[in-house]
Amino acid sequence: MNANLKIAPSILSADFARLGENVAEAEAAGADLIHIDVMDGHFVPNITVGPLVVEAVRSITELPLAVHLMISNADQYLDAFAHAGASSLTVHVEACTHIHRTLQRIRELGLRAGATLNPGTPIAALSEIIADVDLVLVMSVNPGFGNQTFIERSITRIEQVRAMLNQENPQADLAVDGGINANTAGRVVKAGANMLIAGHAIFKGKHSVSTEVLALRQAAQSI
Ligand code: DX5
Ligand code: ZN
């Protein structure tokens, strides 16, 4: 059993007309943080939410808010997301020309800094910043949409990032995002992930949000 296991429901698949209720239900079921996907229609082919929604969610939960920025010009919006109440900001290495500076700025704002990689980006892209992050997020689908199929190659990538973190930054979280459900959760945890981000499986599952949160935690601990 991994005491450091964190379940992060992604509100991308929530019912936005009942967002407060969905978040409250996830919190009551023992979710560890709330994952908020920000998409700009430029870095990824979809548009979602901005600081306004982060602020709204901030007002209705005690949980940390993990904001995943899938946007081209992250530097321009870091302050706005910090002021809106984000607890961590995770940026894509593919989208940041000066990734080291961006991570530094996130920490200056008092937030946890995360770096994430698309499935097609070599893990080596992390090598020079691995000691400067609080979180590495391995994308296990191509970002932009919920309810996509887990890319199997992600297991090897998680193992590689875990080895890197063990060497240089063992305190950091290793998150995995995309296609996480009761079938994939155990294997990604075994590969070294400790934070499971899940949208469809939690908010669009067969059962209630709380049942799905519990089922995912159980599945994660089952291997
Ligand atoms: C995809 C987002 C994910 C998304 C995952 O670009 O970053 O956070 O919500 O969705 P599921 O869990 O449905 O694959
Ligand atoms: Zn995400």
Side-chain angles (χ1 to χ4, degrees):
M1 180 160 153
N2 185 345
N4 200 23
L5 178 68
K6 295 172 186 171
I7 304 289
S10 165
I11 62 165
L12 186 63
S13 290
D15 177 353
F16 273 74
R18 296 178 51 241
L19 186 54
E21 290 165 51
N22 277 190
V23 169
E25 205 178 345
E27 181 169 10
D32 297 285
L33 55 159
I34 299 295
H35 181 88
I36 304 179
D37 289 304
V38 177
M39 306 185 189
D40 65 353
H42 185 261
F43 177 64
V44 291
N46 196 4
I47 300 177
T48 56
V49 303
L52 262 181
V53 170
V54 173
E55 201 178 335
V57 177
R58 179 69 291 157
S59 72
I60 52 120
T61 180
E62 296 295 319
L63 294 179
L65 303 184
V67 176
H68 177 189
L69 295 177
M70 286 160 276
I71 62 177
S72 294
N73 201 350
D75 292 323
Q76 198 177 324
Y77 300 100
L78 300 178
D79 291 51
F81 281 105
H83 292 139
S87 312
S88 67
L89 292 176
T90 296
V91 294
H92 274 259
V93 298
E94 304 87 359
C96 297
T97 311
H98 303 287
I99 182 83
H100 191 277
R101 177 190 287 155
T102 304
L103 294 166
Q104 262 183 338
R105 178 66 188 148
I106 294 170
R107 283 181 159 179
E108 271 171 24
L109 288 165
L111 309 188
R112 302 184 81 228
T116 180
L117 301 178
N118 285 334
T121 303
I123 297 296
L126 291 171
S127 64
E128 307 310 313
I129 51 166
I130 194 82
D132 303 301
V133 297
D134 302 294
L135 162 80
V136 173
L137 194 170
V138 173
M139 285 304 304
S140 41
V141 297
N142 287 293
F145 303 95
N147 196 25
Q148 301 183 79
T149 304
F150 181 83
I151 298 170
E152 281 300 322
R153 172 75 189 172
S154 311
I155 296 288
T156 309
R157 291 166 62 75
I158 293 164
E159 287 168 354
Q160 288 170 357
V161 174
R162 172 48 68 198
M164 220 184 227
L165 287 173
N166 283 350
Q167 283 275 326
E168 298 198 52
N169 190 355
Q171 301 302 320
D173 285 314
L174 204 178
V176 57
D177 187 6
I180 298 302
N181 54 38
N183 296 320
T184 50
R187 289 190 297 131
V188 297
V189 168
K190 190 174 172 224
N194 74 296
M195 185 186 288
L196 303 186
I197 298 157
H200 190 87
I202 288 177
F203 291 112
K204 295 263 168 32
K206 280 200 191 108
H207 307 288
S208 67
V209 169
S210 50
T211 303
E212 299 295 354
V213 168
L214 294 173
L216 196 61
R217 190 180 292 282
Q218 219 162 33
Q221 290 167 338
S222 68
I223 292 191

